[in-house]
Amino acid sequence: MEFEALKQALFAAAKAKGLTEYEVFAKTSSGLSAEMLGHELQSVTSDTHGGICFRCAVGGCIGAASTQSTKEADVLALVDRAMANAAVIDADEEPIFFEGSPAYEAKTCALLPVPETGELRRAVADLSARVFAEDGRVSESSSMGAGADFVTVSLANSKGLSLTNQMGSRYSYVEAILKTEAESVNAFAVSQDIAGKTPDIAAKAVKKAVAKLGAGRVKTGTYDVIFAADQVRALLSAFGGAFSGKAALEGLSRLTGQEETQIAAPMLTLVDDPFYPENPMQTPFDAEGVATYRKNLIENGVLKTLLYDLTTAKKAGKTTTGNAARPSYSSNVSIDPYCMRIEGGKETPEELRARMKDGLYITEMKGLHAGANGVTGDFSIESAGFIVKDGQLAAPVKTFTVAGNFFDLLMHIDGIADNVEMGTPSLSVKAAPDILVRGLSVAGE
Amino acid sequence: MLTKTQMEELLGIAVSTGADFAEVFAEREHSNTIRLLSGKIESVRDTVIVGVGIRAFCGTKTYYASTSDVTKQGLLACAAAVAGAVGDAKTPAKIDLVPTRVVNAHPVGEYPDDVATVRKTDLLRRAEAAARATDEKIVQVQGTFLDVDRQFQVANTEGLMREDRKIRNRLAVAVVAADGGDTQTGFFGPGTGRGIEFFESMDPAYVGKRAAEQALTNLRASFCPAGTMTVAIENGFGGVIFHEACGHSLEATSVGIGASQMAGKLGQKIANEKVTAIDDGTIVGAWGSYNIDDEGNPAARNVLIEHGVLKGYMIDRLGSRRMGMPMTGSSRRENYTFEPTSRMTNTFIDNGPDKNEDIIASIEYGLYAKSMGGGSVNPLTGAFNFAVNEGYLVKNGKICEPVRGASLIGTGSQILQDIDMVGQNLLTGQGMCGSSSGSVPTDVGQPLIRVRQITVGGRS
């Protein structure tokens, strides 16, 4: 059944049960990918998935249920399941179903279709050839892949809201593995096109791997540190949840009650931008149908706003920021940023290193899902990178931890470079430049 | 779910263009996630997954398509997508499946869908009340109750046709304690492969209290010192050290393509002789157990390391082809949207020769890691990390003041040699393991162990 037919069937069933407030949310996706192992095609995969969620208000409580089945009986059963689930909820908020925003902003990205399999195979074969051409030590264990996804989101409710958004994205990646007699090293690079030419991820991954050869240890101590742009994105991904107005209300964020106070160095401006042009997964409306827009979360170091959906905003006495999210068709409404971006500074990465003079340049952090506490901000993370001496990258180092507190770190930023790069750590879209922080604890040998 | 005739037709199409093997996997899973926050049942996520994944092999090349459209048209399109990726159209092959019954070794008393939701919410409320009653410094309690009823069928062109059903339940409590401006967290989340009757022996109040006590301990802890030291790691979820430091490097996913530090080391002494490590998917009712894996092979007890010598890997069908070794019943996937690959089930270091009290007494200065968080590993290099959720300094053989914010890092090959004492209180803990085939439930486990020397990440 198509969305329109599913919606009509569910709306009719809801009315028949006496419901007056309800909503149907659906998400479908199709994707294609190909992967090489060394010089050989390893796998080709394709997928077509969809699911539908029915939400309703019963006695002041929200109930929801979802399914991937398109059988009429399974779809219609969602109404009873959602009503039964509403019955166990402890109401403390008035359900809100939204009638729609007056206007929705236009997207700034092109809609990319899923390519043909042949195009994808040629792209990964070319990527493989380019990776091996970079360096004679590249191992056959190296892998390269490319793919594309096309997602359709539909939302309709009893207030007459009816919205649809389509998003297409493409990607390619390289894991370059170099093996020498002494060691094996690997490095990753990711691009947002299927050829991996912008940037040239074949060269980038191999160069990164070569630079890691012969890495030594670093002495335990306190160091000035520059986090490379992709590592700043990873930190934003690990701690971005603190900007959720819901987390703040629940006492699960250190930013509770901090709006309009200085929480970061004055040089820091952090934006949530649904229409960042490089992000192909843009949406003009959030998971409740509210228009999305660009907003400063931190402006010159001052926290300007947290992120809200309709319900949380009402509880907090604020206005929704259009950040209601449903990562999957079955997800409850949560609050997420679209594309968190740290505005670039004036120095180049080289000038930033020159100003730091001596310290560490962190290019890898592992295990953020476990070693970073999103509530307290504390982190202690396995890292790798380079020793910086007199402003120059001197020698690669590995197997050390860098530890601190994210919120303290924000206050101690001493430099922001101009190299803002976008990426997708942990499925979220972030953009950030290199950042200099003074005096972090490092555990090594 | 699919009929024998449907599966035979789909397999026939999938191998019609030159593949030498094909497999159909059909799944239906119903799960409920109930969340309690601030003393109130906040949400229920009630969802049904339905879909089919079809895979074909040409040697070690794989072709995979999956769909949630299980209409006849959707299934045929899925099989055609696989066949079309393999090569040009030929005549569909005739496949004869031989259905075989799977004996359930993991009895379930009460299936989740037969239990009233209010009984599940009652577990959450009991856990929350106990957590709050522990101390007035407990300022927030989040509880989650999860139940999953997973049914799947698998059939392949070798004639195999089997189906299985796997239940799991988990009660997880996360607690925030605050004192002045200081905030700390605690977590405990036991799970089971049994029915909800598991919580008759696992008291929800104990779950809440244990999470609360961890948060309170961290509240009075100072930052862990950084540097290299001797570390004793407690049983239960402490076993995550073996899971990360070594387990992933023994999966065919990395071994089969030469991207593991453990490739080519069978029969070699890779660990201290006190270390025997096992992956056992047959433990009755365990969180990571099953009757058959996601390729239809029976779960197995696989000895990985015996007295320090590498004895085996965990191998799926593709890994078996790459490595020229038999499959080990280790093929898993989160759901039908993922191609299966070799994964761990219930993985643990077995009891050793040392008395627990001797282990602590042997440490002049070091860290006692009572409760571990998660971690990750690079199988190529063996470089691993994991977080210590609750730790204490050990001085002159005695456990002393608590410390917080610690992490442990090292390389698998080194730490296996440095585990120089193995105690006798083997216990497992439950976790979710992420890899290329998604997130799957796994048990980790060990008795108390001593690591002679490891880098401790800290802040003082």
Side-chain angles (χ1 to χ4, degrees):
Chain A
M1 291 168 87
E2 294 299 317
F3 177 75
E4 192 56 31
L6 290 168
K7 182 187 90 175
Q8 295 297 347
L10 278 166
F11 277 22
K15 277 183 196 160
K17 294 279 182 185
L19 296 174
T20 56
E21 291 190 288
Y22 42 84
E23 171 200 272
V24 177
F25 176 83
K27 201 164 195 175
T28 60
S29 68
S30 56
L32 188 64
S33 65
E35 187 172 60
M36 304 281 291
L37 180 63
H39 287 88
E40 296 289 326
L41 182 71
Q42 182 187 24
S43 66
V44 177
T45 62
S46 62
D47 61 81
T48 308
H49 307 131
I52 188 162
C53 182
F54 177 79
R55 287 204 308 157
C56 60
V58 182
C61 299
I62 291 266
S66 61
T67 186
Q68 288 196 304
S69 173
T70 52
K71 282 185 188 164
E72 191 173 1
D74 289 343
V75 171
L76 295 180
L78 291 176
V79 177
D80 283 339
R81 284 169 52 199
M83 290 174 72
N85 291 331
V88 301
I89 302 294
D90 296 318
D92 73 337
E93 59 200 43
E94 194 181 321
I96 303 171
F97 289 97
F98 186 59
E99 65 276 11
S101 295
Y104 295 92
E105 204 167 318
K107 296 201 285 185
T108 60
C109 61
L111 183 60
L112 300 168
V114 175
E116 295 295 320
T117 312
E119 186 184 352
L120 213 50
R121 289 189 192 212
R122 286 190 295 278
V124 291
D126 175 60
L127 196 52
S128 168
R130 282 161 37 216
V131 168
F132 281 97
E134 282 289 326
D135 194 296
R137 293 168 292 182
V138 173
S139 157
E140 283 293 327
S141 302
S142 301
S143 57
M144 313 83 191
D149 291 298
F150 193 88
V151 177
T152 303
V153 174
S154 304
L155 176 66
N157 68 25
S158 51
K159 295 274 182 72
L161 183 82
S162 183
L163 297 166
T164 296
N165 182 40
Q166 293 187 313
M167 296 166 279
S169 66
R170 295 177 170 196
Y171 59 90
S172 53
Y173 58 89
V174 170
E175 182 190 6
I177 296 180
L178 265 60
K179 290 184 178 176
T180 67
E181 279 191 16
E183 62 180 327
S184 297
V185 293
N186 60 339
F188 297 86
V190 180
S191 158
Q192 283 197 81
D193 72 69
I194 59 172
K197 289 184 174 172
T198 47
D200 181 357
I201 58 172
K204 192 173 173 183
V206 175
K207 282 178 180 149
K208 275 170 75 176
V210 169
K212 288 168 72 173
L213 287 169
R217 301 290 304 274
V218 61
K219 298 276 185 209
T220 299
T222 302
Y223 291 78
D224 292 341
V225 166
I226 293 175
F227 293 96
D230 53 353
Q231 304 312 306
V232 178
R233 295 200 302 265
L235 284 172
L236 279 180
S237 192
F239 293 105
F243 291 89
S244 159
K246 191 169 193 300
L249 272 182
E250 293 168 352
L252 300 174
S253 167
R254 281 237 330 224
L255 300 179
T256 306
Q258 298 290 301
E259 280 147 310
E260 294 303 332
T261 60
Q262 191 87 31
I263 64 158
M267 68 180 73
L268 184 80
T269 292
L270 176 66
V271 183
D272 179 41
D273 187 355
F275 302 103
Y276 189 55
E278 289 181 43
N279 177 15
M281 303 298 277
Q282 298 180 10
T283 175
F285 59 89
D286 76 356
E288 294 175 320
V290 176
T292 59
Y293 65 96
R294 176 192 150 130
K295 74 224 54 121
N296 285 351
L297 300 177
I298 299 174
E299 194 173 301
N300 301 322
V302 176
L303 179 66
K304 300 307 287 183
T305 184
L306 297 175
L307 302 173
Y308 296 98
D309 61 7
L310 287 165
T311 307
T312 311
K314 189 171 179 187
K315 272 190 194 173
K318 308 277 184 184
T319 306
T320 177
T321 55
N323 285 89
R326 295 171 85 168
S328 127
Y329 70 91
S330 65
S331 307
N332 293 316
V333 174
S334 58
I335 295 177
D336 280 328
Y338 294 99
C339 177
M340 270 188 175
R341 182 179 81 247
I342 291 177
E343 300 277 31
K346 290 192 167 59
E347 292 170 293
T348 65
E350 293 75 19
E351 287 166 346
L352 194 64
R353 286 199 287 272
R355 188 156 65 78
M356 180 174 76
K357 198 163 182 286
D358 296 321
L360 290 171
Y361 183 56
I362 308 276
T363 55
E364 275 186 42
M365 290 194 288
K366 297 282 174 62
L368 274 152
H369 66 288
N373 187 322
V375 177
T376 65
D378 288 335
F379 63 86
S380 177
I381 303 295
E382 178 199 350
S383 305
F386 298 85
I387 287 175
V388 178
K389 264 190 187 163
D390 285 330
Q392 302 295 318
L393 297 181
V397 283
K398 64 180 181 182
T399 320
F400 61 91
T401 64
V402 59
N405 182 283
F406 178 72
F407 302 103
D408 296 343
L409 180 151
L410 290 178
M411 291 297 281
H412 292 101
I413 292 173
D414 191 37
I416 297 177
D418 63 358
N419 61 329
V420 179
E421 295 172 9
M422 205 199 85
T424 54
S426 308
L427 303 176
S428 63
V429 182
K430 303 281 182 289
D434 289 8
I435 282 183
L436 166 61
V437 181
R438 302 283 183 184
L440 287 173
S441 292
V442 168
E445 61 179 2
Chain B
M1 303 295 264
L2 306 182
T3 64
K4 175 171 172 285
T5 308
Q6 277 180 305
M7 297 223 256
E8 287 171 342
E9 183 182 15
L10 296 174
L11 288 169
I13 295 168
V15 291
S16 65
T17 52
D20 61 75
F21 172 85
E23 172 192 87
V24 172
F25 179 86
E27 182 176 33
R28 183 183 179 92
E29 178 186 284
H30 183 203
S31 65
N32 288 289
T33 310
I34 307 172
R35 185 171 182 246
L36 175 144
L37 185 83
S38 303
K40 293 178 173 171
I41 300 300
E42 191 202 48
S43 64
V44 179
R45 182 175 177 174
D46 162 4
T47 192
V48 173
I49 289 172
V50 177
V52 168
I54 302 175
R55 181 167 66 152
F57 284 1
C58 293
T60 56
K61 289 186 176 67
T62 69
Y63 302 86
Y64 191 73
S66 63
T67 184
S68 61
D69 181 358
V70 294
T71 61
K72 183 175 183 188
Q73 190 183 9
L75 292 171
L76 291 175
C78 186
V82 172
V86 173
D88 297 329
K90 292 180 187 167
T91 311
K94 172 91 172 70
I95 308 296
D96 291 314
L97 293 174
V98 183
T100 50
R101 189 172 158 268
V102 172
V103 176
N104 182 20
H106 308 284
V108 171
E110 289 184 282
Y111 284 85
D113 284 356
D114 296 336
V115 176
T117 308
V118 67
R119 270 183 63 199
K120 302 171 190 174
T121 57
D122 180 56
L123 296 173
L124 285 165
R125 292 188 205 278
R126 284 161 60 194
E128 202 251 359
R132 293 226 182 241
T134 307
D135 195 289
E136 61 186 16
K137 295 190 179 97
I138 302 300
V139 295
Q140 184 55 286
V141 180
Q142 287 185 85
T144 305
F145 184 83
L146 166 76
D147 60 62
V148 180
D149 183 347
R150 181 184 193 233
Q151 299 175 66
F152 68 91
Q153 301 169 302
V154 58
N156 67 34
T157 47
E158 292 175 350
L160 177 144
M161 181 178 167
R162 288 177 180 154
E163 59 183 66
D164 196 15
R165 183 175 185 183
K166 162 81 178 168
I167 300 296
R168 67 179 199 267
N169 291 283
R170 187 177 199 186
L171 175 64
V173 177
V175 167
V176 180
D179 191 3
D182 194 11
T183 300
Q184 289 298 316
T185 57
F187 174 83
F188 187 46
T192 180
R194 298 179 185 276
I196 202 167
E197 70 277 4
F198 169 75
F199 294 99
E200 287 164 14
S201 56
M202 174 61 73
D203 184 1
Y206 170 70
V207 178
K209 194 164 188 296
R210 186 160 155 185
E213 283 171 348
Q214 188 180 94
L216 291 166
T217 299
N218 284 327
L219 206 55
R220 60 188 171 87
S222 50
F223 284 112
C224 182
T228 301
M229 59 183 88
T230 303
V231 177
I233 303 172
E234 193 48 279
N235 64 6
F237 201 72
V240 72
I241 191 168
F242 182 82
H243 177 102
E244 298 297 352
C246 186
H248 280 295
S249 301
L250 295 175
E251 293 169 338
T253 316
S254 54
V255 179
I257 59 170
S260 165
Q261 53 163 351
M262 297 295 175
K265 292 191 176 171
L266 266 188
Q268 292 182 25
K269 190 161 184 305
I270 60 165
N272 187 294
E273 64 186 16
K274 290 181 179 176
V275 176
T276 290
I278 296 158
D279 183 78
D280 188 352
T282 70
I283 299 170
V284 175
W287 177 246
S289 293
Y290 42 76
N291 295 305
I292 56 171
D293 73 1
D294 291 345
E295 290 175 342
N297 293 315
R301 183 178 195 273
N302 296 305
V303 176
L304 305 172
I305 297 172
E306 191 170 26
H307 300 304
V309 176
L310 181 59
K311 289 290 183 181
Y313 299 110
M314 289 160 282
I315 306 172
D316 62 323
R317 182 175 288 274
L318 178 62
S320 170
R321 286 187 171 207
R322 284 180 172 150
M323 295 159 68
M325 295 174 67
M327 292 181 278
T328 59
S330 307
S331 183
R332 305 185 70 184
R333 55 179 127 198
E334 180 178 333
N335 58 45
Y336 71 93
T337 65
F338 294 88
E339 260 189 281
T341 189
S342 53
R343 302 293 293 269
M344 286 174 264
T345 58
N346 309 298
T347 316
F348 56 90
I349 295 176
D350 210 352
N351 278 327
D354 298 302
K355 289 182 179 164
N356 288 8
E357 53 269 33
D358 292 345
I359 294 177
I360 300 299
S362 73
I363 301 173
E364 193 178 325
Y365 180 81
L367 179 71
Y368 167 59
K370 184 178 176 185
S371 178
M372 303 299 299
S376 70
V377 68
N378 180 343
L380 177 72
T381 61
F384 68 81
N385 62 77
F386 43 98
V388 180
N389 282 353
E390 183 179 347
Y392 300 80
L393 286 181
V394 182
K395 296 172 186 169
N396 300 317
K398 297 217 165 11
I399 296 172
C400 299
E401 68 268 26
V403 287
R404 68 196 196 197
S407 59
L408 304 181
I409 63 165
T411 58
S413 54
Q414 187 62 47
I415 197 174
L416 285 174
Q417 301 287 354
D418 287 343
I419 296 173
D420 62 354
M421 294 182 85
V422 179
Q424 299 170 342
N425 59 338
L426 170 62
L427 185 72
T428 58
Q430 291 72 54
M432 295 300 293
C433 169
S435 183
S436 62
S437 64
S439 178
V440 298
T442 53
D443 259 6
V444 298
Q446 65 176 32
L448 178 70
I449 62 167
R450 187 180 98 146
V451 183
R452 187 177 62 83
Q453 181 175 290
I454 190 168
T455 301
V456 178
R459 269 213 274 168
S460 60

